Amino acid sequence: MSMGVVIVTGGTFGLGQSITVELARRGHQVVAFGLAQAQVSSTAQGFDSLMAALDGAGCKADVLEADVSSAADVQRVVDHTVGKYGAIDGLVNNAAIGPLGTVLTTDEPTFDRIVDVNLKGTYLMSRAALPHMIRGGGGSIVNIGSGAGWGKPNMAAYSASKGAIVALSAAMAYDHFHDHVRVNVAIPGGGGIVSGMSVGRMGGDLTAFKSRQAPGTAAGRPATGRDLANAVAFLLSDDAAAISGTVIDVGCFAHQGGPVPPTH
């Protein structure tokens, strides 16, 4: 799928924006969508930064406003994509919200919204895109996970939703094995990766976020959106034609209980 048609959910800001721009730069036809207004616990808003980033990279993408938790919105995105490009080869389920809280401090509407966006959104988008992938002879779905999916403090609902993504991805990989649709998870890690969500959790203070003692990665620096995007691009590509049902951790082994303590 060297020049495939790819939908990126939550593809307008933060890590999703990095994925959109990198895939477009590599020659994919990208349809990115998100919400224009800021969501709970995130600094993501508007599409101007995506347009500027695409322009700076000398590439283009289709940018739509849609809510991944709405079946009607999701269908509209799929209809636009198939109507314009005739196929869907890849899907990156990146849209997520991550309000902090324990079970006791997370109210029911917040819990429901986290599950609706992070888990149900992935289900709705996959359900709408899969028939087109299967009809086209196969495809690749990359679900963006989190180290919180193995449990992290003060992230009860978010952890639950991201743990579910790992299980859902493995189940989908089995279900669509013979359809030649590969399903994998990419996890941004490193403790210092800048995203609308991670900075939003610190009240939008980028300086404070960057001044924390983040362990970074084996590269000797915090992971970036480009690092994640490179892994996603690989999983979408024919180079990963035999890879399904796996997790690529782009950062510092979050699934092993990281982060790695800083050296002194």
Side-chain angles (χ1 to χ4, degrees):
M1 200 190 74
S2 54
M3 296 292 172
V5 179
V6 183
I7 296 174
V8 182
T9 79
T12 57
F13 194 86
L15 300 180
Q17 177 176 304
S18 297
I19 292 167
T20 295
V21 172
E22 182 59 26
L23 294 180
R25 194 186 68 76
R26 290 177 182 230
H28 292 286
Q29 301 290 347
V30 182
V31 178
F33 73 89
L35 292 172
Q37 76 272 25
Q39 297 302 291
V40 59
S41 84
S42 178
T43 61
Q45 59 182 328
F47 301 152
D48 289 350
S49 65
L50 171 59
M51 295 307 193
L54 286 166
D55 195 48
C59 51
K60 292 185 171 145
D62 289 27
V63 182
L64 307 177
E65 180 168 13
D67 183 344
V68 75
S69 70
S70 159
D73 278 18
V74 162
Q75 192 59 52
R76 177 165 52 83
V77 171
V78 167
D79 289 346
H80 167 91
T81 306
V82 175
K84 184 168 180 179
Y85 298 110
I88 299 173
D89 303 299
L91 168 62
V92 183
N93 284 308
N94 166 76
I97 56 171
L100 299 176
T102 67
V103 164
L104 294 177
T105 61
T106 302
D107 61 33
E108 190 175 353
T110 302
F111 183 92
D112 286 344
R113 184 64 184 155
I114 292 169
V115 172
D116 274 353
V117 174
N118 301 8
L119 180 57
K120 186 180 177 183
T122 298
Y123 150 76
L124 287 174
M125 195 68 241
S126 300
R127 185 179 70 159
L130 270 163
H132 299 284
M133 291 185 175
I134 293 167
R135 195 173 303 123
S140 175
I141 297 175
V142 182
N143 296 326
I144 305 302
S146 168
W150 283 272
K152 282 191 176 175
N154 202 35
M155 295 186 184
Y158 180 71
S159 288
S161 73
K162 287 301 191 177
I165 288 298
V166 175
L168 176 62
S169 300
M172 287 172 58
Y174 280 119
D175 288 339
H176 302 291
F177 183 92
H178 294 294
D179 297 321
H180 312 296
V181 175
R182 301 179 292 104
V183 187
N184 293 289
V185 179
I187 294 183
I193 195 164
V194 174
S195 70
M197 183 187 297
S198 62
V199 177
R201 285 172 174 156
M202 298 195 70
D205 189 337
L206 185 59
T207 305
F209 178 80
K210 287 188 169 178
S211 68
R212 299 174 317 140
Q213 273 204 305
T217 66
R221 54 166 177 75
T224 67
R226 182 84 176 265
D227 291 321
L228 177 65
N230 287 337
V232 170
F234 165 69
L235 290 171
L236 290 172
S237 77
D238 291 337
D239 288 339
I243 299 175
S244 190
T246 197
V247 176
I248 290 187
D249 196 312
V250 185
C252 69
F253 327 118
H255 58 297
Q256 297 179 28
V260 179
T263 54
H264 296 288

